[in-house]
């Protein structure tokens, strides 16, 4: 019999696929896109994706067999594999890393380490266990086989791996591997009549059986009504037990009694978790004359351009235009993807879109459970029905079948860039590639487009549509620049607020309006310091000072997450004068509570939105005016629509402007203009106060006049002068090592090797602003490449250099990774 082999992709950071033999019983059944279980290494097993099938046997090594098939259909589509390949190549990332990021964890069956007690083990004088080891053995004896994580949770021991290692050396335990299926399907109980539809005699018999049992009779009548049993022209409707109980007002015991009499059949059915049960209005929002004109221009632009930019000022009604475009796509029977930079934005958008499109709206993001994400994945995989998916970065990887439109809202947002772990992709750029692979159109939308996008739009590469007025003719907010140096000299400021900001906030609250205070720093205070000697507590693992969080009464590192108690006595000079300095959102919230004691306040930052419903609850409360003041980080700047906000106060603009990066002014302008756009979105003109110690900074004059074009022209001149994007392409190469001296030496060798190949396009190595994270020292090399150069060739050279350098044994412990098109 002809032998066949499968090329498979593993969810591991490896730069190649692997070949496995297809057992005879699986020949003809395994195809590209299928999930299979394969052995890898000595005892591990992984879920692999088949990328190719061939009758050609590999040469030079023994080929292992595929262990099992997991599906009888492909779990991913061909365009997805093409997209994975592009991401891997463009962002210099291992294909396995792309696979790991793309597929929900619930679809990746992995082998986990299980530990069980060795019943043959005998403790003696030479083989004595310590107290911790005895506790672990007793736990295993009581519970049977357990994972290290389960043992750690039960015992509370840290570094339980060390205990396990000692027990393994003494042969007191046995290690085994077990395949774990992470996905658990959701099943619902249904009830149906045993009688065949139209069989009146069988129904008569059923009523005879429940005669005298009032509740059973009521339940039978409810089931006949709900299922449409008497309507011969239409097929029977499936009725869930829950629905039946709610209609009849009875209990599961009553239904069970009817099943025992043979009247009904109770069965379970796997259902999709994603179901919309609300009402559908079906009416599209009415567009203003300016919006209608912009919509027509978008349709015309799509004739000649695959990608177009909608540059609309804040509150100009871009979302209403998106809804009209989505409606057009759904009416054609196609699918649309609506990308947003933050999960927070899906809350408001979902409600707005569901009112129009109902259950055609699908939400997908990383805060969903594995089971929910797998259900949505399967829904899209098995259905070609028209739908619109709202999601953050991860929704790009869903198995679309007939994608026709991709909308990237707030396209300028740095949140679209995945930082860690790999692949370090920009969802905005990947979205344009995804769309092109499906033959779809891409619409980028923003009030403050990224410099690169605006450059491409104004130079004709992208279509370009402008929407320069707010909906209903509402004026853009008035911006006041407040000089905090002057305010402090005049003693018109206490704490973090200037007198002007505090007065405007008091007036707004008294009128029943709402206020947003923006500070892009979470925690209570960014710094703790000894008053006497100036000692500052720093992270043991990272080169950063610790941030004080009063809620936990802990100093926390925002890079590695390590926590430390706030010392009462300075460990350097033994003085009891350790104080906290500066402001984070937690401290601003406290000050606002003191200033406005009778006002309901909400805070939106990473600390208050960790759970799945955190965003939704905060946004819902503020939208419905259950809270009057919202304190937040950059989360509050991203496209949220609150009609009651009349004042936005920017607490410290300097922290945005004074940042050592060529994109600092772009980020600052975008963030400040966006947060300003939250004010006065309905009727009266809003007010924005920007507190700064640099009132004459050029960026603030552009902001005061809402002059994006003026800012762009100033910034593009500077980018051209210093040869930064969009006039070049950047690749940052990061090198990490535990020893600083070794890293310094190796990074110089590496950069010199690159200079031999790329010449003066190489800059560095240099120590980044934070030179050590999680005990690894860091160096950065920057590569500036001409726009018209072959990036494929550049990356091939980088890959070849990496392989050559790793032949040096000293390079083995050096961590190297790339950030292509850094943000």
């Amino acid at each position: 019999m002809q032998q066949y082999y499968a090329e498979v992709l593993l969810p591991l950071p490896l730069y190649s696929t692997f070949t496995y033999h297809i057992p005879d019983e699986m020949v003809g059944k395994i195809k590209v896109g299928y999930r299979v279980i394969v052995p890898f290494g000595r005892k591990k097993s992984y879920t692999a994706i088949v990328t190719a099938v061939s009758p050609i046997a590999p040469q030079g090594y023994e080929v292992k067999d595929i262990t099992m098939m997991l599906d009888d259909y492909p779990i991913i589509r061909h365009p997805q594999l093409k997209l994975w390949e592009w991401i891997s190549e463009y962002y210099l990332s291992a294909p396995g890393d792309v696979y790991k990021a793309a597929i929900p964890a619930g679809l990746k069956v992995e082998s986990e380490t299980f530990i069980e007690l060795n019943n043959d083990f005998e403790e003696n004088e030479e083989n004595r266990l310590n107290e911790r080891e005895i506790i672990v053995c007793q736990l295993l004896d009581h519970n049977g086989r357990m994972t290290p994580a389960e043992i750690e949770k039960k015992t509370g021991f840290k570094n339980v791996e060390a205990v396990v290692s000692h027990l393994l050396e003494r042969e007191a335990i046995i290690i085994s591997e077990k395949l774990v299926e992470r996905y658990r399907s959701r099943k619902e109980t249904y009830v149906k009549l045993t009688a065949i539809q139209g069989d009146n005699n069988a129904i008569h018999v059923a009523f005879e059986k429940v005669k005298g049992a009032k509740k059973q009779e009521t339940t039978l009548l409810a089931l006949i009504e709900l299922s449409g049993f008497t309507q011969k022209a239409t097929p029977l409707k499936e009725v869930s037990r829950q629905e039946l109980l709610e209609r009849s007002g009875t209990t599961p015991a009553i239904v069970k009694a009817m099943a025992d009499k043979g009247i009904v059949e109770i069965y379970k059915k796997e259902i999709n978790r994603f179901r919309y049960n609300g009402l559908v209005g079906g009416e599209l929002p009415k567009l203003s004359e300016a919006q209608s004109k912009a919509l027509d221009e978008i349709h015309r632009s799509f004739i000649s351009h695959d990608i177009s930019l909608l540059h609309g000022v804040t509150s100009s009604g871009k979302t209403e235009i998106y809804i009209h475009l989505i409606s057009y796509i759904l009416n054609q029977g196609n699918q649309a993807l609506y990308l947003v930079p933050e999960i927070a934005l899906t809350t408001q958008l979902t409600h707005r879109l569901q009112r129009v499109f109902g259950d055609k709206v699908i939400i997908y993001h990383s805060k969903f459970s594995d089971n929910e994400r797998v259900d949505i994945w399967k829904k899209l995989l098995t259905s070609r029905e028209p739908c619109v998916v709202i999601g953050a970065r991860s929704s790009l990887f869903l198995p679309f079948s007939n994608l026709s439109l991709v909308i990237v809202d707030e396209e300028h947002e740095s949140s679209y860039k995945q930082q860690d772990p790999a692949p370090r992709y920009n969802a905005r750029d990947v979205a344009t590639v995804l769309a092109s692979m499906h033959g779809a159109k891409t619409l980028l939308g923003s009030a403050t487009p990224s410099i690169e996008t605006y450059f491409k739009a104004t130079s004709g590469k992208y279509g370009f549509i402008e929407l320069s007025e707010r909906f209903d003719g509402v004026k853009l907010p008035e911006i006041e620049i407040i000089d905090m140096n002057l305010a402090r000299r005049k003693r018109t400021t206490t704490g973090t607020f200037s007198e002007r900001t505090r007065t405007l906030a008091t007036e707004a609250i008294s009128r029943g309006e709402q206020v947003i205070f923006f500070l892009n720093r979470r925690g209570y205070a960014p710094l703790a310091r000894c008053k006497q000697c100036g000692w500052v507590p720093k992270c043991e693992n990272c080169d950063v000072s610790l941030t004080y969080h009063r809620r936990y009464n802990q100093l926390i590192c925002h890079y590695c997450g390590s926590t430390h108690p706030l010392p009462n006595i300075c460990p350097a000079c033994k003085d009891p004068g350790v104080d906290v300095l500066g402001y984070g959102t937690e401290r601003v919230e406290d000050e606002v509570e003191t200033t406005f004691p009778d006002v309901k306040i909400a805070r939106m930052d990473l600390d208050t939105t960790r759970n799945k419903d955190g965003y939704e609850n905060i946004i819902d409360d503020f939208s419905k005016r259950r809270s009057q003041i919202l304190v937040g980080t950059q989360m509050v700047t991203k496209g949220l629509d609150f009609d009651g906000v009349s004042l936005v106060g920017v607490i410290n603009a300097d922290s945005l402007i004074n940042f050592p990066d060529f994109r600092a002014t772009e980020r600052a302008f975008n963030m400040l203009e966006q947060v300003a756009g939250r004010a006065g979105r309905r009727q009266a003109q809003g007010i924005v106060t920007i507190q700064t110690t640099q009132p004459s900074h050029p960026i603030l004059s552009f902001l005061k006049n809402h002059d994006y074009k003026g800012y762009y022209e100033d910034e593009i001149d500077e980018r051209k002068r210093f040869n930064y994007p969009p006039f070049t392409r950047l690749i940052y190469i990061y090198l990490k090592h535990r020893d600083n001296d070794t890293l310094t030496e190796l990074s110089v060798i590496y950069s010199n090797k690159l200079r031999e190949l790329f010449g003066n396009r190489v800059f560095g190595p240099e120590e980044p602003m934070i030179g050590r994270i999680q005990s690894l020292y860091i160096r950065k090399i920057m590569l500036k490449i001409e726009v018209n150069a072959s990036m494929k060739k550049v990356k091939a050279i980088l890959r070849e250099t990496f392989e050559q350098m790793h032949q040096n044994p000293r390079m083995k412990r050096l961590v190297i990774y790339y950030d292509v098109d850094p943000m």
Side-chain angles (χ1 to χ4, degrees):
M1 184 176 178
Q2 174 71 60
Q3 298 298 300
Y4 284 88
Y5 302 86
E7 204 70 20
V8 305
L9 184 60
L10 291 166
L12 298 170
L14 303 168
Y15 282 87
S16 63
T17 54
F18 295 84
T19 307
Y20 286 83
H21 175 248
I22 301 176
D24 293 345
E25 65 272 18
M26 298 182 196
V27 172
K29 297 178 181 177
I30 290 179
K31 297 175 184 176
V32 172
Y34 279 47
R35 289 187 307 161
V36 293
I37 299 292
V38 297
F40 190 79
R42 293 182 63 189
K43 291 184 178 179
K44 291 281 186 181
S45 292
Y46 291 94
T47 300
I49 301 290
V50 177
T51 60
V53 176
S54 170
I56 301 171
Q59 302 297 316
Y61 60 92
E62 183 183 349
V63 183
K64 296 179 181 178
D65 279 358
I66 289 172
T67 306
M68 70 170 77
M69 289 173 56
L70 287 175
D71 312 291
D72 54 5
Y73 57 89
I75 201 71
I76 62 171
R77 302 181 190 276
H78 179 65
Q80 287 174 280
L81 280 175
K82 280 182 64 183
L83 185 68
W84 292 7
E85 188 180 325
W86 182 87
I87 292 171
S88 172
E89 183 182 295
Y90 187 83
Y91 291 102
L92 294 167
S93 177
D97 281 332
V98 182
Y99 162 31
K100 197 168 184 178
I103 296 282
L107 288 174
K108 294 192 286 282
V109 178
E110 294 183 6
S111 65
E112 286 191 354
T113 301
F114 278 80
I115 301 159
E116 57 185 306
L117 201 60
N118 181 2
N119 294 324
D120 296 329
F121 172 73
E122 291 183 5
E123 189 176 4
N124 52 47
E125 290 295 328
E126 296 179 359
N127 214 7
R128 185 71 64 190
L129 302 181
N130 63 34
E131 184 181 350
R132 285 161 65 94
E133 292 165 350
I134 290 169
I135 291 171
V136 170
C137 287
Q138 289 173 343
L139 189 67
L140 291 169
D141 186 44
H142 182 262
N143 291 284
R145 191 157 57 175
M146 300 176 72
T147 66
E150 290 169 340
I151 294 172
E152 189 169 314
K153 187 176 181 181
K154 289 277 187 183
T155 61
F157 294 163
K158 291 187 177 179
N159 300 322
V160 77
E161 291 83 2
V163 180
V164 170
S165 179
H166 290 151
L167 288 171
L168 195 60
E169 287 174 11
R170 292 171 170 78
E171 298 183 352
I173 58 172
I174 299 169
I175 298 288
S176 61
E177 299 289 330
K178 177 186 175 183
L179 287 174
V180 177
E181 177 79 63
R182 297 189 185 278
Y183 173 67
R184 296 289 181 271
S185 62
R186 179 175 175 182
K187 293 183 179 178
E188 195 162 309
T189 303
Y190 286 80
V191 182
K192 68 177 180 180
L193 289 161
T194 54
I196 298 171
Q197 189 175 16
D199 188 346
N200 294 329
N201 185 53
I203 287 293
H204 179 73
V205 171
F207 275 108
E208 284 294 323
K209 288 182 180 179
V210 299
K211 196 172 183 180
K214 186 71 175 173
K215 290 183 178 179
Q216 290 184 31
E217 189 175 302
T218 303
T219 304
L220 179 58
L221 285 166
L223 183 57
I224 290 170
E225 181 189 350
L226 288 169
S227 64
F229 189 87
T230 57
Q231 299 169 14
K232 297 178 183 178
T234 58
L236 284 173
K237 179 193 167 190
E238 285 191 296
V239 180
S240 72
R241 184 173 63 184
Q242 184 63 32
E243 187 182 8
L244 178 60
L245 296 179
E246 287 173 0
R247 177 63 66 89
S248 64
T250 54
T251 64
I254 300 297
V255 179
K256 175 70 166 56
M258 294 171 67
D260 292 340
K261 292 178 179 179
I263 300 169
V264 299
E265 179 187 335
I266 301 171
Y267 64 100
K268 289 196 173 183
K269 178 183 173 184
E270 186 175 321
I271 63 163
N272 197 296
R273 283 175 171 77
F274 183 81
R275 292 187 300 179
Y276 172 65
N277 298 316
L279 297 173
V280 183
E283 288 188 11
L284 293 171
K286 291 182 180 178
L287 300 183
S288 66
E289 186 179 336
Q291 287 174 314
S292 297
K293 182 184 176 186
L295 181 61
D296 290 341
E297 288 180 11
I298 290 169
H299 282 297
R300 285 198 296 272
S301 175
F302 280 160
I303 296 171
S304 55
H305 294 89
D306 290 331
I307 305 168
S308 293
L309 169 66
L310 173 60
H311 179 207
V313 297
T314 56
S315 196
S316 57
K318 294 186 289 295
T319 304
E320 286 78 8
I321 294 173
Y322 298 154
I323 290 172
H324 276 260
L325 286 168
I326 291 165
S327 176
Y328 175 75
I329 295 302
L330 297 185
N331 289 336
Q332 290 182 320
N334 295 329
Q335 297 170 334
L337 171 61
Y338 191 152
L339 271 183
V340 292
E342 288 279 358
I343 295 167
L345 296 186
T346 60
T347 304
Q348 285 192 333
L349 281 172
T350 299
H351 296 325
R352 291 175 74 174
L353 267 67
Q354 282 182 334
R355 282 196 291 269
V356 179
F357 304 117
D359 61 1
K360 290 180 181 176
V361 179
I362 295 174
I363 307 102
Y364 188 86
H365 53 63
S366 59
K367 287 279 175 112
F368 278 5
S369 68
D370 280 342
N371 289 341
E372 288 171 316
R373 280 186 281 171
V374 171
D375 279 343
I376 295 167
W377 187 282
K378 287 186 173 181
K379 177 184 175 74
L380 283 170
L381 192 66
T382 57
S383 170
R384 295 181 64 86
E385 292 178 6
C387 65
V388 54
V389 175
I390 303 177
R393 288 190 304 255
S394 57
S395 57
L396 285 166
F397 298 109
L398 285 167
F400 297 100
S401 55
N402 52 346
L403 186 64
S404 187
L405 173 68
V406 177
I407 295 168
V408 184
D409 197 17
E410 310 295 348
E411 66 82 29
H412 64 277
E413 273 290 347
S414 58
S415 302
Y416 280 125
K417 176 74 173 184
Q418 164 73 14
Q419 300 296 345
D420 281 306
R424 295 171 180 84
Y425 65 96
N426 189 318
R428 176 197 65 201
D429 299 335
V430 174
T432 63
V433 176
L434 171 72
S436 69
M437 288 178 173
H438 283 269
K441 301 294 184 181
T442 303
L443 180 65
L444 309 175
S446 177
T448 54
S450 67
I451 297 296
E452 288 91 333
T453 297
Y454 199 78
F455 177 78
K456 289 173 182 175
T458 52
S459 61
K461 186 174 181 180
Y462 292 172
F464 186 38
I465 302 95
E466 284 191 283
L467 192 56
S468 56
E469 64 181 59
R470 280 187 150 189
F471 187 75
D472 266 358
V474 176
K475 291 182 179 179
L476 287 164
E478 178 187 348
I479 293 181
E480 295 186 20
I481 309 298
I482 296 174
D483 185 347
M484 292 301 286
N485 287 328
L486 181 62
R488 289 189 182 106
R489 284 198 299 272
K490 290 184 174 182
R491 297 186 179 180
T492 58
T493 178
T494 54
T496 190
F497 294 115
S498 67
E499 184 179 17
R500 177 63 175 162
T501 300
R502 192 165 49 250
T503 300
L504 288 171
T506 303
E507 292 172 356
I509 296 298
S510 67
R511 294 192 300 267
E513 296 163 352
Q514 292 173 294
V515 176
I516 291 176
F517 290 121
F518 166 63
L519 176 65
N520 202 31
R521 186 184 288 276
R522 64 187 174 98
Y524 185 82
L527 194 70
R529 188 173 68 190
C530 174
K531 292 179 183 176
Q532 188 67 27
C533 71
W535 171 83
V536 173
K538 292 192 173 182
C539 177
E540 296 172 354
N541 308 312
C542 312
D543 284 346
V544 292
S545 57
L546 298 168
T547 300
Y548 178 63
H549 287 248
R550 199 175 73 170
R551 180 182 175 187
Y552 310 110
N553 194 28
Q554 293 274 329
L555 293 166
I556 299 176
C557 175
H558 286 177
Y559 285 86
C560 71
S562 63
T563 59
H564 309 266
L566 179 67
N568 295 318
I569 297 174
C570 173
C573 70
K574 310 304 178 187
D575 188 84
V578 178
D579 202 3
V580 292
L581 304 172
Y583 282 82
T585 48
E586 200 176 341
R587 192 169 190 176
V588 170
E589 182 185 27
D590 273 6
E591 191 168 315
V592 171
E593 284 177 347
T594 303
T595 309
F596 303 98
D598 300 321
V599 175
K600 181 74 189 312
I601 299 159
R603 174 163 59 91
M604 188 160 73
D605 55 28
L606 189 62
D607 297 318
T608 61
T609 58
R610 290 189 185 278
N611 63 47
K612 188 173 83 171
D613 298 324
Y615 292 104
E616 188 164 352
N617 293 337
I618 294 167
I619 291 168
D620 192 52
D621 282 352
F622 198 65
S623 295
K624 293 176 179 175
R625 304 202 185 193
R626 289 195 284 262
S627 53
Q628 286 73 51
I629 297 177
L630 179 63
V631 178
T633 58
Q634 60 179 322
M635 290 180 181
V636 303
T637 71
K638 303 185 182 189
L640 295 169
D641 187 13
F642 303 118
D643 59 11
V645 175
S646 64
L647 172 70
V648 170
V650 178
I651 303 301
N652 180 11
D654 301 342
S655 63
L656 300 174
I657 297 168
N658 300 325
F659 202 81
D661 183 81
F662 79 95
R663 291 189 194 275
T665 55
E666 180 183 4
R667 274 196 293 265
F669 181 90
N670 290 351
M671 207 174 289
L672 292 171
E673 181 68 15
Q674 288 287 339
V675 76
R678 302 315 107 203
R681 294 176 69 88
R682 287 299 179 269
Q683 296 171 350
Q685 184 182 24
I687 299 177
V688 180
T689 60
I690 298 179
Q691 300 183 168
T692 176
T693 59
Q694 304 172 70
S696 60
H697 195 289
I699 195 176
L700 297 177
S701 63
F702 293 125
L703 275 166
K704 190 171 176 60
N705 298 311
H706 300 285
D707 184 9
Y708 174 83
K709 288 182 181 176
Y711 159 71
Y712 168 79
E713 287 165 5
D714 184 71
E715 179 68 14
I716 202 74
D717 283 347
E718 186 145 327
R719 296 275 185 97
K720 191 172 186 178
R721 193 159 58 247
F722 293 102
N723 208 23
Y724 275 108
F727 303 103
T728 54
R729 285 175 169 157
L730 297 186
I731 300 175
Y732 288 168
I733 304 167
Y734 288 95
L735 301 92
K736 295 184 177 182
H737 200 284
R738 290 193 178 276
D739 182 77
N740 194 32
D741 293 336
T742 303
L743 177 63
T744 301
E745 183 184 346
L746 293 179
S747 61
V748 170
I749 294 171
Y750 202 89
S751 61
N752 287 340
K753 178 68 175 175
L754 290 175
R755 280 190 182 87
E756 290 175 13
L757 301 164
F758 292 106
N760 59 6
R761 300 177 183 89
V762 179
F763 299 81
E766 65 177 20
E767 185 176 330
M769 189 172 66
I770 298 169
R772 183 173 62 108
I773 296 176
Q774 295 180 346
S775 299
L776 289 172
Y777 292 92
I778 308 167
R779 293 292 183 275
K780 183 177 82 173
I781 299 170
M782 182 171 69
L783 197 57
K784 277 187 181 179
I785 303 295
E786 296 87 343
V787 173
N788 57 1
S790 168
M791 288 299 281
K792 189 171 184 178
K793 188 174 180 181
V794 168
K795 289 163 188 175
I797 294 170
L798 285 173
R799 184 70 200 147
E800 190 177 318
T801 306
F802 174 85
E803 290 170 355
Q804 288 174 4
M805 295 295 289
H806 265 63
Q807 291 174 8
N808 180 346
R810 296 183 65 208
M811 290 283 184
K812 297 294 183 186
R813 294 189 178 182
L814 186 70
V815 177
I816 300 176
Y817 66 86
Y818 308 94
D819 188 2
V820 180
D821 300 337
M823 292 291 284

